[in-house]
Amino acid sequence: MSVINFRYRTLGKLGEGGGGEVYLVEDTLKECRQSAMKILHGGDRSDPVADEQFRNEVSVLAALHHPNLVRVSDFGMIRHCDDAALKGRRFFTMEYLQGSTAGEWWRIHRGQHDGAVQLKHFVLQALGVLSYVHQRGIIHFDIKPENLLLISGGKDDDQLPLLKLTDFGFSAGPDTTLEFPLRGTLEYTAPELLRHETFDNRVDLYSLGATVYHLIE
């Protein structure tokens, strides 16, 4: 257990990906409220790809507010920590979500009598949050089952799950000059991106369609 910046007490690692590690932490300044903390791999500028993804994710999530998006509460650099390996690394904290990825969720519900209703509800929420994001000039670029979380009983007490769209590390605007043009996960990437052609926010809709296809195939 470590204390970060005299405020966040780590409770354990939740996961790790290409961009960084995610820890469960207690905020000692807010009655030990639990949050998820994402910490960028390596030092401040050690990996330009990871650094760009991290800055994108923080800036986008901090600016957007929607019930189907994870909420960011704090961000900065780790200046003080008992664990020397964490010092000097960037972080941000976000709401701690206990749910299932779309793939995990569908494996449970696909054989149930209301499976089609559950899937329709999932797709409508995904389209709604993508519409919100796209209207603000942002393309996600990495829609896939692992980045769509389902929180049980999260909507109107009807036991239908609440969707949360996560991981905006690859996000950008349609007019942005992309330093790393091939973004996202190959199985869900729109053909125009693979061919380095002109694209717009419909690449996210392709990825959502590919997601649904992979869920039900």
Side-chain angles (χ1 to χ4, degrees), residues 23-209:
Y23 290 86
L24 177 63
V25 299
E26 289 181 334
D27 187 345
T28 61
L29 297 185
K30 294 187 177 181
E31 300 178 340
C32 293
R33 184 180 66 191
Q34 291 187 346
S35 299
M37 174 181 283
K38 185 169 183 178
I39 303 175
L40 181 66
H41 281 317
D44 186 22
R45 301 285 180 182
S46 63
D47 184 340
V49 177
D51 186 65
E52 181 197 25
Q53 292 176 7
F54 188 85
R55 287 186 286 105
N56 278 343
E57 189 164 10
V58 173
S59 60
V60 169
L61 287 175
L64 300 179
H65 303 281
H66 189 276
N68 296 117
L69 293 176
V70 64
R71 295 190 303 272
V72 169
S73 52
D74 189 23
F75 60 91
M77 183 178 291
I78 298 178
R79 304 288 186 183
H80 305 278
C81 184
D82 321 8
D83 187 347
L86 297 181
K87 285 185 178 179
R89 295 166 64 177
R90 294 183 180 183
F91 76 90
F92 70 89
T93 57
M94 52 191 165
E95 60 179 323
Y96 173 47
L97 301 173
Q98 294 180 284
S100 304
T101 67
E104 296 166 340
W105 163 80
W106 185 242
R107 280 193 291 272
I108 295 172
H109 290 90
R110 68 180 302 163
Q112 298 183 0
H113 71 281
D114 64 343
V117 174
Q118 295 265 1
L119 184 62
K120 177 182 176 181
H121 181 69
F122 156 75
V123 172
L124 288 175
Q125 288 187 85
L127 289 171
V129 69
L130 284 178
S131 176
Y132 171 85
V133 170
H134 292 163
Q135 287 173 16
R136 284 150 183 81
I138 300 295
I139 301 175
H140 187 280
F141 283 110
D142 200 19
I143 303 298
K144 60 182 179 180
E146 292 81 0
N147 290 337
L148 296 163
L149 298 183
L150 282 301
I151 314 300
S152 297
K155 188 173 177 64
D156 301 330
D157 297 323
D158 56 9
Q159 300 308 305
L160 289 173
L162 175 68
L163 177 141
K164 290 283 187 174
L165 174 59
T166 67
D167 199 343
F168 279 75
F170 285 118
S171 64
D175 299 322
T176 302
T177 300
L178 301 180
E179 185 177 352
F180 312 104
L182 186 56
R183 308 163 86 83
T185 302
L186 184 61
E187 296 89 334
Y188 307 94
T189 301
E192 55 266 42
L193 288 176
L194 298 175
R195 295 193 293 257
H196 303 284
E197 296 174 350
T198 301
F199 62 88
D200 58 27
N201 55 30
R202 287 175 290 183
V203 299
D204 282 345
L205 300 182
Y206 177 95
S207 298
L208 178 59

